[in-house]
């Protein structure tokens, strides 16, 4: 099993109190989005004892992650839902300042293709049951500095995915101190003979969605659109976690000649910051229906992971 099931979580039963709402999204600032169109969460409620229930809506017409021909959503919608919950819950219920820097340490998901929702029309209403564990605090014990979040997702009364991740939260001062130690390799490096794959090779909708290039037999993380409306919805001084994950997925598709494009499970660990420059090398090795990947920058490994396919 590539990702453990959430701690004691099962398919959400009927909610207590008022029902969850899918009528409107939560505030975009609450999930660190600039565009309202990129917000998936619509409602979050606490059940006490570090447990929560949430609603999210996955649009059928998402420009970056379009549904498959049979109405299936892109699997990375699971990761984005987890990311939004991983920001909303700490700031709303654990007094983590909204201006804190949220750093992903690891992220994983597992999808059941037999029960995942289809969206032939409109969108899919997703129900999430979440549990917070491994709560870390600052040395003084007054502020939460990190936690683990495990989530089960269901649609139409059917459980279809498990996801989990660990994050830490840094205030501006701590973040600046952390970044000052790794800012030594930010010079731009020109890729002299880079060839950008076609969208069809990577199973993405458009040229702007391509995140990798091949240069002399080496694959680099080099987004075609540094202002991409989803991947770079707001400015960041390093490469966001979902860009790393999608870059690895694209590298796996490239390495297997388009054979492996839709991972039903994944696990990624961010070892250190991946800088925007120089472009990180994405190494991907397939073993049957499994791809192991690694990102390197200045000969230092920044992230590792596994993608699994049917």
């Amino acid at each position: 099993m590539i990702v453990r099931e959430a701690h004691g979580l099962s398919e959400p039963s009927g909610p207590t109190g008022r029902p969850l709402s899918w009528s409107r999204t939560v505030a975009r600032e609450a999930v660190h989005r600039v565009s309202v169109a990129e917000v998936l969460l619509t409602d979050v409620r606490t059940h006490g004892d570090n447990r929560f229930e949430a609603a999210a809506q996955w649009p059928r017409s998402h420009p970056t992650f379009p549904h498959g021909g049979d109405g299936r959503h892109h699997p990375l919608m699971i990761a984005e839902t987890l990311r939004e919950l991983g920001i909303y819950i700490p700031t709303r219920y654990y007094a983590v300042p909204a201006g804190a820097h949220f750093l992903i340490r690891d992220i994983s998901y597992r999808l059941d293709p037999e029960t995942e929702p289809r969206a032939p029309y409109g969108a899919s209403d997703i129900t999430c049951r979440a549990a917070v564990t491994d709560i870390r605090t600052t040395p003084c014990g007054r502020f939460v500095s990190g936690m683990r979040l495990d989530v089960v997702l269901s649609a139409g009364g059917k459980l279809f995915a498990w996801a989990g991740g660990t994050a830490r939260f840094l205030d501006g001062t701590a973040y600046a101190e952390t970044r000052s130690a790794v800012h030594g390799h930010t010079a731009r490096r020109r890729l002299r003979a880079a060839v950008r794959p076609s969208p069809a090779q990577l199973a993405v909708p458009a040229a702007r969605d391509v995140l990798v290039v091949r240069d002399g037999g080496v694959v680099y993380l080099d987004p075609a659109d540094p202002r991409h409306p989803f991947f770079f919805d707001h400015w960041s001084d390093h490469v966001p976690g979902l860009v790393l994950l999608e870059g690895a997925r694209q590298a796996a598709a490239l390495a297997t000649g388009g054979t492996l494009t839709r991972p039903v499970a994944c696990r990624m660990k961010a070892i250190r910051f991946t800088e925007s420059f120089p472009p990180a090398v994405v190494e991907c090795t397939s073993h049957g229906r499994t791809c192991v990947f690694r990102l390197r920058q200045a000969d230092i490994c920044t992230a590792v992971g596994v993608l699994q396919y049917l």
Side-chain angles (χ1 to χ4, degrees), residues 5-6 35 39 47 57 66 79 123 140 145 164-165 175 181 184 212 224 243 246 249 282:
E5 295 188 9
S35 172
V39 179
H47 281 277
Q57 189 174 81
C140 66
S145 60
Y175 185 77
V212 298
V243 175
E246 171 62 7
R249 188 203 67 78
V282 188

Side-chain angles (χ1 to χ4, degrees), residues 175-186 272-273 275 297:
Y175 185 77
E177 292 175 351
T178 301
R179 294 299 284 138
S180 66
V182 296
H183 261 313
H185 303 290
T186 57
R272 55 178 292 153
F273 290 99
E275 306 295 342
Q297 196 164 44

